[in-house]
Amino acid sequence: MSAITSSQQTRSRCLILGCGGHGRVVLDILRNAGQAEVVGFVDSDPHMVGRRVDGIEVLGCPDDLASLRTKHTIESAIVAIGNNGVRRAFAHKLTELGFELINAIHPSANIAGNATMGKNVVVAAGSLVCAHCQIGDSVILNTGCIVDHESLIGTATHICPGARLAGRVTVESGAFVGIGATVIQSLRIGYEAIIGAGAVVIRDVAPMSTVVGVPAQATPITTVTVPRNDWLLAGEISADQLTPINPIHG
Ligand SMILES: CC(C)(COP(=O)(O)OP(=O)(O)OC[C@H]1O[C@@H](n2cnc3c(N)ncnc32)[C@H](O)[C@@H]1OP(=O)(O)O)[C@@H](O)C(=O)NCCC(=O)NCCS
């Protein structure tokens, strides 16, 4: 058995909530960053319990969180669920249960020294966060995205792989900026808006709307890939926990 180094002694023992594709990405980031000891996954699918995902056991379901925290002496957690609403709701639940929410920041991400960042944030490989950006809680800055200077990225938003935000862009809470999308400078993406893959956004985007294309135009798409309310998981999360407090950091 190898000796325990001082860095191992100070690493917090953490859980990853969600063992799907994004959960595996988050595990990889935490392993690369070496900042936390991943004790296990928790997942809503009971069939996953007891199985191993990339060598880490799925210890239980969300109802087991409190007992798992005590049993395995777990201090911290991160929510690795792609759906913005579910991710935010579980972050609230974990905080209520006394978990410290940690961030997963890949060592290859480049983050300006004066950028600020909330909790439960994932910054994937190759992402760039430039000067004076503010990144809210439960944000995903996915692989290779660019968030340029002075941009405000609201709570529980997802900036998908390769998306590019020019300077002074505001992304309100719950919004989704699709893979490879581009947003020109100083625009505002309204809360829970969806920017389609590859769109080029040249005007503000209204809250709750979907825009696609070059230049991006509003579409009548109303049924998005993940229906907005299927994250109201029975008995686990109440609707009032999900109400945004304000459009940026609600
Ligand atoms: C915009 C989006 C959410 C719409 O999904 P949807 O509601 O399932 O829409 P559909 O696939 O039924 O498409 C509806 C119409 O919009 C068009 N459309 C959909 N996405 C488009 C896009 N990104 N750009 C241009 N047109 C698009 C379709 O061609 C279709 O047009 P039609 O009615 O003329 O045939 C989805 O296509 C998208 O771009 N998602 C982003 C995926 C992503 O970034 N994934 C990364 C995860 S890390």
Side-chain angles (χ1 to χ4, degrees), residues 142 158 160-161 176-179 194-198 210-213 221 223-225:
N142 222 324
H158 184 170
C160 285
F176 174 95
V177 180
I179 190 164
I194 294 169
I195 313 297
T210 299
V211 299
V212 297
I221 297 169
T223 53
V224 291
T225 314

Short mmCIF file of all heavy atoms in Angstrom, two decimals, residues 142 158 160-161 176-179 194-198 210-213 221 223-225, ligand 1:
data_model
loop_
_atom_site.label_atom_id
_atom_site.label_comp_id
_atom_site.label_asym_id
_atom_site.label_seq_id
_atom_site.Cartn_x
_atom_site.Cartn_y
_atom_site.Cartn_z
N ASN A 142 -19.05 23.83 -20.85
CA ASN A 142 -18.66 22.53 -21.40
C ASN A 142 -17.42 22.64 -22.30
O ASN A 142 -16.96 23.74 -22.60
CB ASN A 142 -19.86 21.90 -22.11
CG ASN A 142 -19.97 20.42 -21.82
OD1 ASN A 142 -18.96 19.75 -21.69
ND2 ASN A 142 -21.18 19.91 -21.72
N HIS A 158 -26.24 26.23 -19.11
CA HIS A 158 -25.34 25.27 -19.75
C HIS A 158 -24.81 25.91 -21.02
O HIS A 158 -25.57 26.21 -21.94
CB HIS A 158 -26.09 23.98 -20.06
CG HIS A 158 -25.24 22.88 -20.63
ND1 HIS A 158 -25.70 21.60 -20.78
CD2 HIS A 158 -23.97 22.86 -21.10
CE1 HIS A 158 -24.75 20.84 -21.30
NE2 HIS A 158 -23.69 21.59 -21.51
N CYS A 160 -22.73 24.92 -23.97
CA CYS A 160 -22.35 23.61 -24.51
C CYS A 160 -20.97 23.63 -25.18
O CYS A 160 -20.38 24.70 -25.38
CB CYS A 160 -23.41 23.16 -25.52
SG CYS A 160 -24.92 22.62 -24.73
N PRO A 161 -20.47 22.44 -25.53
CA PRO A 161 -19.14 22.37 -26.13
C PRO A 161 -18.99 23.29 -27.34
O PRO A 161 -19.86 23.36 -28.21
CB PRO A 161 -19.03 20.89 -26.54
CG PRO A 161 -19.89 20.17 -25.55
CD PRO A 161 -21.06 21.10 -25.32
N PHE A 176 -29.87 27.69 -22.07
CA PHE A 176 -29.07 26.62 -22.68
C PHE A 176 -28.50 27.16 -23.99
O PHE A 176 -29.27 27.57 -24.88
CB PHE A 176 -29.99 25.42 -22.94
CG PHE A 176 -29.38 24.27 -23.70
CD1 PHE A 176 -28.82 23.20 -23.03
CD2 PHE A 176 -29.38 24.25 -25.09
CE1 PHE A 176 -28.26 22.12 -23.73
CE2 PHE A 176 -28.83 23.19 -25.80
CZ PHE A 176 -28.27 22.12 -25.11
N VAL A 177 -27.19 27.20 -24.10
CA VAL A 177 -26.54 27.68 -25.33
C VAL A 177 -25.95 26.44 -26.01
O VAL A 177 -25.00 25.84 -25.52
CB VAL A 177 -25.45 28.73 -25.01
CG1 VAL A 177 -24.80 29.20 -26.31
CG2 VAL A 177 -26.06 29.91 -24.25
N GLY A 178 -26.54 26.05 -27.13
CA GLY A 178 -26.23 24.77 -27.77
C GLY A 178 -24.82 24.67 -28.33
O GLY A 178 -24.10 25.68 -28.46
N ILE A 179 -24.48 23.45 -28.69
CA ILE A 179 -23.13 23.15 -29.15
C ILE A 179 -22.76 24.01 -30.37
O ILE A 179 -23.54 24.16 -31.31
CB ILE A 179 -23.01 21.63 -29.45
CG1 ILE A 179 -21.57 21.23 -29.69
CG2 ILE A 179 -23.92 21.20 -30.60
CD1 ILE A 179 -21.36 19.72 -29.60
N ILE A 194 -33.45 28.72 -25.15
CA ILE A 194 -32.66 27.66 -25.77
C ILE A 194 -32.07 28.19 -27.06
O ILE A 194 -32.81 28.67 -27.94
CB ILE A 194 -33.53 26.42 -26.05
CG1 ILE A 194 -34.00 25.81 -24.73
CG2 ILE A 194 -32.76 25.39 -26.89
CD1 ILE A 194 -35.07 24.75 -24.89
N ILE A 195 -30.76 28.13 -27.16
CA ILE A 195 -30.08 28.51 -28.40
C ILE A 195 -29.69 27.21 -29.10
O ILE A 195 -28.94 26.40 -28.55
CB ILE A 195 -28.78 29.32 -28.11
CG1 ILE A 195 -29.02 30.44 -27.07
CG2 ILE A 195 -28.19 29.86 -29.41
CD1 ILE A 195 -29.97 31.49 -27.49
N GLY A 196 -30.20 26.99 -30.29
CA GLY A 196 -29.95 25.73 -31.00
C GLY A 196 -28.49 25.57 -31.38
O GLY A 196 -27.73 26.55 -31.46
N ALA A 197 -28.12 24.33 -31.63
CA ALA A 197 -26.75 24.02 -32.06
C ALA A 197 -26.38 24.86 -33.28
O ALA A 197 -27.16 24.98 -34.22
CB ALA A 197 -26.67 22.53 -32.39
N GLY A 198 -25.20 25.45 -33.24
CA GLY A 198 -24.67 26.17 -34.40
C GLY A 198 -25.30 27.51 -34.70
O GLY A 198 -24.95 28.16 -35.69
N THR A 210 -36.98 29.72 -28.04
CA THR A 210 -35.96 28.88 -28.71
C THR A 210 -35.58 29.59 -30.00
O THR A 210 -36.45 30.01 -30.76
CB THR A 210 -36.54 27.49 -29.03
OG1 THR A 210 -36.90 26.85 -27.82
CG2 THR A 210 -35.52 26.62 -29.76
N VAL A 211 -34.28 29.74 -30.22
CA VAL A 211 -33.83 30.33 -31.48
C VAL A 211 -32.86 29.36 -32.15
O VAL A 211 -32.10 28.67 -31.48
CB VAL A 211 -33.16 31.71 -31.28
CG1 VAL A 211 -34.14 32.71 -30.67
CG2 VAL A 211 -31.90 31.62 -30.44
N VAL A 212 -32.91 29.34 -33.49
CA VAL A 212 -31.99 28.48 -34.25
C VAL A 212 -31.56 29.23 -35.51
O VAL A 212 -32.21 30.18 -35.94
CB VAL A 212 -32.65 27.14 -34.68
CG1 VAL A 212 -33.03 26.29 -33.48
CG2 VAL A 212 -33.86 27.37 -35.57
N GLY A 213 -30.46 28.78 -36.11
CA GLY A 213 -30.06 29.25 -37.43
C GLY A 213 -29.07 30.39 -37.43
O GLY A 213 -28.63 30.88 -36.40
N ILE A 221 -40.80 26.05 -32.04
CA ILE A 221 -40.55 24.80 -31.33
C ILE A 221 -41.02 24.95 -29.89
O ILE A 221 -40.60 25.85 -29.18
CB ILE A 221 -39.05 24.44 -31.32
CG1 ILE A 221 -38.54 24.20 -32.73
CG2 ILE A 221 -38.79 23.24 -30.42
CD1 ILE A 221 -37.03 24.10 -32.83
N THR A 223 -41.87 21.83 -27.99
CA THR A 223 -41.46 20.62 -27.27
C THR A 223 -39.98 20.42 -27.47
O THR A 223 -39.53 20.02 -28.52
CB THR A 223 -42.19 19.38 -27.82
OG1 THR A 223 -41.98 19.35 -29.23
CG2 THR A 223 -43.65 19.40 -27.51
N VAL A 224 -39.20 20.76 -26.46
CA VAL A 224 -37.76 20.58 -26.58
C VAL A 224 -37.42 19.16 -26.19
O VAL A 224 -38.26 18.42 -25.68
CB VAL A 224 -36.99 21.59 -25.71
CG1 VAL A 224 -37.15 22.98 -26.25
CG2 VAL A 224 -37.43 21.48 -24.29
N THR A 225 -36.19 18.78 -26.46
CA THR A 225 -35.77 17.39 -26.27
C THR A 225 -36.10 16.89 -24.86
O THR A 225 -36.54 15.78 -24.67
CB THR A 225 -34.26 17.28 -26.53
OG1 THR A 225 -33.99 17.99 -27.74
CG2 THR A 225 -33.84 15.84 -26.69
C1 LIG B 1 -32.98 23.61 -31.06
C2 LIG B 1 -33.29 22.22 -30.56
C3 LIG B 1 -33.35 22.23 -29.02
C4 LIG B 1 -34.66 21.84 -31.11
O1 LIG B 1 -34.94 20.52 -30.75
P1 LIG B 1 -36.42 19.92 -31.04
O2 LIG B 1 -37.45 20.69 -30.29
O3 LIG B 1 -36.33 18.45 -30.79
O4 LIG B 1 -36.64 20.29 -32.57
P2 LIG B 1 -36.73 19.33 -33.87
O5 LIG B 1 -35.53 18.45 -33.97
O6 LIG B 1 -38.09 18.69 -33.82
O7 LIG B 1 -36.67 20.37 -35.05
C5 LIG B 1 -37.74 21.28 -35.29
C6 LIG B 1 -37.36 22.15 -36.49
O8 LIG B 1 -36.25 23.00 -36.14
C7 LIG B 1 -35.12 22.74 -36.99
N1 LIG B 1 -33.93 22.78 -36.14
C8 LIG B 1 -33.74 22.10 -35.00
N2 LIG B 1 -32.54 22.39 -34.47
C9 LIG B 1 -31.96 23.25 -35.31
C10 LIG B 1 -30.72 23.91 -35.29
N3 LIG B 1 -29.84 23.73 -34.29
N4 LIG B 1 -30.43 24.77 -36.28
C11 LIG B 1 -31.31 24.97 -37.29
N5 LIG B 1 -32.53 24.37 -37.35
C12 LIG B 1 -32.84 23.53 -36.37
C13 LIG B 1 -35.37 21.36 -37.58
O9 LIG B 1 -34.72 21.20 -38.80
C14 LIG B 1 -36.87 21.35 -37.69
O10 LIG B 1 -37.21 22.10 -38.83
P3 LIG B 1 -38.48 21.68 -39.74
O11 LIG B 1 -39.69 21.78 -38.86
O12 LIG B 1 -38.47 22.70 -40.85
O13 LIG B 1 -38.21 20.29 -40.18
C15 LIG B 1 -32.22 21.16 -31.00
O14 LIG B 1 -32.31 20.82 -32.36
C16 LIG B 1 -30.79 21.62 -30.73
O15 LIG B 1 -30.15 22.34 -31.51
N6 LIG B 1 -30.30 21.20 -29.56
C17 LIG B 1 -28.96 21.49 -29.09
C18 LIG B 1 -28.20 20.19 -28.88
C19 LIG B 1 -26.89 20.42 -28.23
O16 LIG B 1 -26.31 21.50 -28.26
N7 LIG B 1 -26.38 19.39 -27.60
C20 LIG B 1 -25.13 19.47 -26.86
C21 LIG B 1 -25.30 18.84 -25.51
S1 LIG B 1 -23.80 18.89 -24.58
#
